Amino acid sequence: MQDLKGVVVDKQFITEEIFKLKVYLSEKILAFIDPGSFAMLKVEAKGVYLRRPFSFADLDIKTGMVTFYVKVVGRGTKALGEINPGQEISMLLPLGRGFTRRPGKSLLIAGGIGVAPLNFLAKRIIEDGGKVSFLYGVRNARQFIAEIYSKFKKEMEVYCEEPGLGNRGSVRDGLLTKEIMAYDQIYLCGPMGMLKAVKPILKDFPGLIEVSLESYMACGFGACLGCAVQLKNKDGIIYKKVCQDGPVFNFKDVVL
Ligand SMILES: Cc1cc2nc3c(=O)[nH]c(=O)nc-3n(C[C@H](O)[C@H](O)[C@H](O)COP(=O)(O)OP(=O)(O)OC[C@H]3O[C@@H](n4cnc5c(N)ncnc54)[C@H](O)[C@@H]3O)c2cc1C
Ligand code: FES
């Protein structure tokens, strides 16, 4: 983990509520950034005191560019959306435990902005020689990142709860059309409601299922205990820190 300064190279709103942030990092640390890991970004704004966590959505080692997709939900993300190219941004990175990549066929299930880390994961799986099948569910067009869809058109099925985009319905509807046992592993990232809805469908899947979880974070590196989640193991319920033990966990262990 390092506390670094990056330079904002590009910031663009790509939907009404999501912007893409490209940041240049000159450090050797780029080699340690994996899909599923994240950065705490310092947001300078009145009333915003803490850094905010964001998953790496892409990384180009050659150019030193990292990409984030950020959905504006409150004060911190609004302030981050006002940043301009050329400005410096303070970043604590890389943080957390990322996805375990394995050979074979992977099913990726994304809900809303949960598509950000899975975009990076899909790219790496394909580079490793694996195959991906991508389910991407959004509530409406304001959540839909068209440029991710353009990259994975061949592998991706979109489900939208409002008419006009992709298939009508939720990610759960999409999952019900899949022959789940044809996959070697499954990866998820999305809102709690989505995770709860798909859990029964995945309950008999014998392979690895990993999920990237969200929680409120204050420090981002294990010092404040602010990000605990419940997992179950053979002794019962245990608590783990999303920032340090996750954000990627074994889906079968997570208490939803
Ligand atoms: C490991 C990790 C990776 C993440 N990656 C991304 C990403 O790639 N892109 C992205 O847009 N967001 C991501 N998030 C969520 C992002 O950190 C929050 O949306 C952000 O911190 C909100 O800050 P804010 O000041 O704008 O909102 P606040 O003012 O703090 O909150 C505004 C509203 O948003 C809700 N909210 C805030 N934080 C969260 C959260 N963590 N989970 C659920 N609801 C929340 C609150 O309920 C509140 O109603 C990630 C979170 C974690 C833990
Ligand atoms: S955010 Fe502080 S311990 Fe996880």
Side-chain angles (χ1 to χ4, degrees), residues 21-37 55-69 91 93-94 101 116-117 119-121 123-124 127 151:
L21 190 64
K22 280 186 161 256
V23 179
Y24 171 73
L25 284 171
S26 63
E27 306 294 323
K28 291 196 180 75
I29 202 149
L30 287 169
F32 298 94
I33 296 174
D34 274 327
S37 62
S55 304
F56 292 100
D58 202 359
L59 160 70
D60 185 338
I61 298 263
K62 280 198 209 110
T63 60
M65 213 71 76
V66 292
T67 302
F68 300 96
Y69 289 103
M91 310 164 82
L93 84 171
R101 299 204 302 277
N119 174 63
F120 188 14
L121 177 65
K123 177 179 160 181
R124 284 284 165 92
E127 282 169 2
K151 264 193 280 177

Side-chain angles (χ1 to χ4, degrees), residues 136 138 144 149 157-160 162-169:
Y136 177 22
V138 288
F144 177 65
Y149 175 66
E157 283 170 53
V158 175
Y159 282 80
C160 183
E162 289 177 8
L165 195 75
N167 303 287
R168 184 84 185 269

